[in-house]
Amino acid sequence: MSKNKLSPVVILFIVAAVLYGIIYILPRVTGVLRSSYTAEYGELKTFDKTEGYIVRNEYVYFSTVTGAANRYIKGNKLVRKGTRIMEVSAARKDKTDSNVKALDTSQKGNTTYSSIREDVKGDKHVDTDDFVTAHEGILSYHADGNESELTPDNMGSKNKSFFQKLKNGSDLELKNEIVAEGDPVFKICDRAAWYIVCYIPREHAARYAEGTRLDVRLNDEKTITGTVYKITDERREKKLIIKTSYYYKYFATLRKLDVEVITSDVMGLLISNTSIVEKGGRKGVYVRQKTGKYRFVPINVIATDGTESAISPSQFRDSKGNTVTTVRSYDDILRRPDRKAA
């Protein structure tokens, strides 16, 4: 008498059912195969890397006389209002002096600076014959013609396309031995307040609030502190303007630079945000016990980047001043708890 044999289709179905039970049902019943990880102490740094554009209050001084230049102060120095930067000596009819011989007292402006003379207008254009500063700030012997085109007063109305057209290295050297009437001769940049305009993803807007302090890493060489001056919508991004008074040696000459805007940099136990649940009005995670079961443990979130969070280790004080025992280093944390994980 022949035995009944299972068909290949039935066998395949049975195998699939067994595998499903092992993978999906058994872990929920026993908790043995729950995905978990170890909580470890470390640094959580939340930042946006982007391109930044420098905006300054800056004043270009133009000579109203012609002559040979004699400068008293080096560039990139902080000077006070009322400081004499240089002098321009009247021309002499001395054929033995090649510089003076080339000097024409009737000359009206070096053509090299035509664009700067045309572009720098209003109160950003300062005529001088005594070369004494009417402003306090950082002295620079460079100008690019954007001094009145881009200012703290109008930066809010400029869009990203405008900022992206700005270039470094497009400025002109103003230190010539011979100065002609109408030539730009130096610039004063207000360091008491200057600005960095940048663009960040719209989904990161919650990290920023007007008036809050943050750190900014400039060209990966210097970190300064600033405040969020303004944050607005521009198409699919957020336009972020940071105000600072910190010194940066290139701030008077650069127009654009790489920036890392740091909204938090803290130490704590690092956990995945997928582990955080709320129970009884408190945030917490499920920690594996010696029995193998998981128990809800309340946490205090110090900072989050949207993916990970840094939490207080061992214990913290709640809003009522009570000491609460929490997660410790090397505790085993449930990665994706469900509402019935306890």
Side-chain angles (χ1 to χ4, degrees), residues 60 62 113-125 143-151 170 172:
V60 181
F62 293 80
Y113 303 126
S114 298
S115 61
I116 295 178
R117 278 192 294 270
E118 293 172 2
D119 295 336
V120 181
K121 305 172 183 177
D123 66 340
K124 307 303 180 186
H125 180 123
D144 64 2
N146 287 305
E147 286 78 10
S148 58
E149 177 67 19
L150 178 59
T151 70
S170 61
L172 296 176

Side-chain angles (χ1 to χ4, degrees), residues 190-244:
D190 183 5
R191 202 200 81 180
W194 54 284
Y195 304 82
I196 301 172
V197 177
C198 55
Y199 290 84
I200 60 169
R202 184 181 290 267
E203 57 269 25
H204 293 178
R207 299 177 181 178
Y208 304 90
E210 291 184 8
T212 57
R213 291 169 63 87
L214 41 70
D215 290 332
V216 186
R217 184 77 174 164
L218 307 177
N219 278 344
D220 201 28
E221 63 181 2
K222 182 178 178 65
T223 301
I224 64 171
T225 299
T227 59
V228 178
Y229 179 74
K230 187 172 290 186
I231 181 166
T232 56
D233 292 318
E234 188 172 319
R235 296 187 177 181
R236 297 181 180 179
E237 295 179 295
K238 286 286 185 177
K239 181 180 181 179
L240 175 67
I241 302 179
I242 300 165
K243 180 179 181 180
T244 184

Side-chain angles (χ1 to χ4, degrees), residues 145-166:
N146 287 305
E147 286 78 10
S148 58
E149 177 67 19
L150 178 59
T151 70
D153 291 335
N154 65 27
M155 62 184 175
S157 63
K158 304 294 185 183
N159 60 27
K160 189 175 183 179
S161 296
F162 170 85
F163 288 107
Q164 288 180 320
K165 293 177 183 177
L166 296 175

